[in-house]
Amino acid sequence: MAASMAALAGAGVAGVAVELWWGVVERQGPGVYDWAGYLELAAMARRYGLRVRAILAFHQCGAGPHDPLWIPLPKWVLEEMDKMPDLSYTDRYQRRNKEYISLGCDILPILKGRSPMQAYSDFMRSFRDAFKEYLGAIVTEVQVGMGPGGELRYPSCPTEKLSQPGSSSELGEFQCYDKFMQASLKARAQIIGMEDWGNGGPACTDGSQQNPEETDFFRADDGCWNTPYGRFFLEWYSGMLLLHGERLCMVADSVFSGTGVTIAGKVSGIHWHYYTCSHPSELTAGYYNTLLRNGYLPITQMFARYKAALCCSCFDLRDEERNNSKSSPEGTLRQLMVAAKMCSLPLNGENSMTRLDDTSLNQVIRSSRLYSGGTSGTSFSFNYVRMNKSLFDFHNWNRFTKFVRQMSDARTFLARLEFRRGQQYLSSMSVVWVVSRACAYT
């Protein structure tokens, strides 16, 4: 690990982004925190002149005990979820997902007397106190996990399936069938005098399908997504997700105020049905983004209220590489970038797949140019996911160090801006961070 950090520092990398897992740190019991391995990592980063982005990971890692990278939620949390299955996200088939606690019970004292928000808040305070000497100088950013995969979204499709070729084109399932989400939906329907709308999520969605035109809810013509009921449900469903993100931003802003640390959150790049009217994969993930509505602007506006940075992936993906003609990672990324730029958010880009071929790295540079430069005062940096042995292989390392130099060179991002009274040239440069899977060293 020390040799890796020394090499990264020599290559001009700004720092490392590291997940600090809830299931590792608080595994012994409620309020019992063990930061020892992560403190050692921060000391190592300081020794080599690297900064640290701390990702507070309140979600599960891996697909199950057979996965060599398996890190579940803390055992005492899973025990409560076993006692009360409705703490898990649930779809209409009553399939439970334990990647992350259902946001429907955010403020309920269901974790041995604490609410999930109180547990997250206590975790943040413990981190702040344990890393006091590093905050602002070495630890410069704290990214707060907001859902499955650390992203602000519902687990409409299990995280491990998203990385499997072919499966990600599924429409996904609405996660609103645990009793807490159902109670919220029912109450909202009663408020507007439409009690029948509060009996459950939309019927006729069939999330295992890959063609939205074969469903009554998502199809373009006369689809229920564009009816009064559809708009009511989607506003409630996306609104609950937005409220969850707001609560976490509010807690993080309070905990880290005055420490010199920037807070951040991550939004998922759900691009598989972007060129359809209803954008079904985005809807089931909680992003009310359709042909008729911008679902990302409310999210970036929420982040802006807390001066938080936004992290998003897809920087390495090209439309021409997609098997599905309706998929558009480039279109999704452009829309996210526009929303972020409208709110002057600092942006952290990421690659979706660990690749070091020239095609992938050049695509990252092209995508990064869309956000770098300009007069809005926005800043941009890039997280390379992720550090492993192959990164340091001779040919890969040569490509990577060249990539770092390009991303750090202002000339790479020379932006030509046109104004009414002539033309102006501005330059902007990015910095590269490397995402390290530090759980292997704790």
Side-chain angles (χ1 to χ4, degrees):
M1 194 67 176
S4 298
M5 285 202 173
L8 293 175
V13 167
V16 289
V18 184
E19 291 111 335
L20 289 79
W21 296 97
W22 190 19
V24 170
V25 175
E26 202 176 350
R27 64 183 179 276
Q28 298 299 333
V32 181
Y33 305 98
D34 178 9
W35 299 103
Y38 295 116
L39 284 166
E40 185 179 351
L41 188 75
M44 191 181 296
R46 178 167 60 186
R47 189 157 63 246
Y48 291 101
L50 295 171
R51 287 173 281 163
V52 173
R53 277 184 172 154
I55 303 169
L56 306 186
F58 298 116
H59 59 284
Q60 162 190 303
C61 176
H66 62 280
D67 192 325
L69 300 174
W70 171 242
I71 303 176
L73 299 185
K75 183 179 178 181
W76 57 272
V77 173
L78 293 175
E79 288 172 353
E80 297 303 311
M81 296 175 86
D82 288 338
K83 292 177 189 175
M84 189 182 298
D86 285 291
L87 302 186
S88 305
Y89 281 116
T90 309
D91 66 17
R92 63 195 175 112
Y93 300 108
Q94 291 301 299
R95 292 177 296 201
R96 309 284 187 177
N97 185 298
K98 293 185 177 181
E99 293 183 63
Y100 189 85
I101 298 174
S102 169
L103 60 80
C105 52
D106 267 354
I107 58 175
L108 302 177
I110 45 81
L111 295 179
K112 300 187 183 297
R114 292 188 299 171
S115 70
M117 278 296 152
Q118 287 173 322
Y120 303 148
S121 176
D122 290 344
F123 188 93
M124 291 185 210
R125 288 191 178 89
S126 177
F127 169 81
R128 179 197 62 193
D129 296 342
F131 287 80
K132 185 177 181 180
E133 66 175 291
Y134 297 100
L135 297 183
I138 303 302
V139 179
T140 55
E141 182 174 291
V142 173
Q143 182 176 308
V144 180
M146 297 183 170
E151 300 168 334
L152 182 62
R153 64 173 173 87
Y154 293 100
S156 51
C157 183
T159 299
E160 67 270 13
K161 291 186 72 175
L162 297 182
S163 60
Q164 296 174 4
S167 64
S168 57
S169 57
E170 293 181 7
L171 307 181
E173 291 286 351
F174 290 109
Q175 304 293 309
C176 60
Y177 291 88
D178 64 75
K179 70 178 183 181
F180 304 107
M181 293 290 283
Q182 287 286 278
S184 173
L185 177 60
K186 190 176 185 66
R188 181 66 62 87
Q190 288 176 340
I191 289 173
I192 66 168
M194 301 295 291
E195 294 189 16
D196 290 346
W197 289 359
N199 293 329
C204 305
T205 53
D206 198 359
S208 63
Q209 288 282 348
Q210 298 186 6
N211 183 3
E213 295 305 313
E214 296 177 4
T215 70
D216 290 339
F217 190 83
F218 296 122
R219 67 189 183 199
D221 294 331
D222 302 321
C224 293
W225 64 276
N226 196 29
T227 63
Y229 163 72
R231 289 189 287 272
F232 157 79
F233 174 81
L234 294 170
E235 286 172 3
W236 166 79
Y237 188 69
S238 62
M240 289 288 285
L241 185 68
L242 201 61
L243 177 60
H244 177 68
E246 179 117 32
R247 285 168 172 159
L248 283 166
C249 282
M250 190 180 302
V251 168
D253 184 57
S254 173
V255 169
F256 295 107
S257 176
T259 64
V261 165
T262 300
I263 63 172
K266 186 176 182 181
V267 173
S268 186
I270 305 290
H271 56 79
W272 301 288
H273 298 277
Y274 188 78
Y275 285 141
T276 65
C277 293
S278 62
H279 295 225
S281 297
E282 292 163 84
L283 297 186
T284 56
Y287 305 147
Y288 189 2
N289 189 56
T290 69
L291 183 67
L292 306 175
R293 188 180 189 275
N294 186 340
Y296 297 113
L297 189 56
I299 296 173
T300 56
Q301 288 171 334
M302 180 268 290
F303 275 66
R305 286 195 289 274
Y306 299 93
K307 297 180 173 60
L310 176 69
C311 180
C312 60
S313 58
C314 293
F315 274 72
D316 57 325
L317 301 182
R318 299 185 301 159
D319 285 0
E320 62 189 70
E321 293 179 321
R322 303 296 94 194
N323 294 327
N324 180 1
S325 63
K326 300 297 184 181
S327 172
S328 179
E330 294 182 60
T332 304
L333 182 59
R334 278 194 298 270
Q335 187 177 354
L336 270 167
M337 283 181 169
V338 169
K341 207 151 196 174
M342 288 175 67
C343 298
S344 299
L345 292 184
L347 188 70
N348 303 332
E350 281 190 3
N351 47 314
S352 298
M353 296 181 287
T354 301
R355 292 170 52 186
L356 278 168
D357 56 277
D358 289 334
T359 299
S360 175
L361 296 180
N362 288 335
Q363 180 64 20
V364 169
I365 292 172
R366 281 193 292 269
S367 300
S368 301
R369 284 178 179 145
L370 297 176
Y371 207 74
S372 299
T375 58
S376 64
T378 54
S379 64
F380 175 80
S381 63
F382 182 77
N383 297 334
Y384 174 76
V385 184
R386 105 175 26 242
M387 187 173 78
N388 54 32
K389 287 184 178 180
S390 67
L391 174 65
F392 300 99
D393 290 344
F394 179 75
H395 294 294
N396 286 341
W397 183 247
N398 282 344
R399 276 193 293 266
F400 180 73
T401 53
K402 177 184 176 183
F403 166 72
V404 172
R405 288 195 300 271
Q406 288 177 299
M407 291 289 282
S408 303
D409 186 352
R411 290 171 297 181
T412 303
F413 297 95
L414 193 64
R416 184 170 183 245
L417 306 176
E418 294 187 3
F419 296 94
R420 289 181 180 178
R421 295 185 179 180
Q423 297 178 344
Q424 181 177 353
Y425 291 84
L426 295 179
S427 63
S428 172
M429 63 181 179
S430 173
V431 291
V432 176
W433 299 66
V434 174
V435 182
S436 166
R437 197 178 287 281
C439 61
Y441 307 97
T442 61

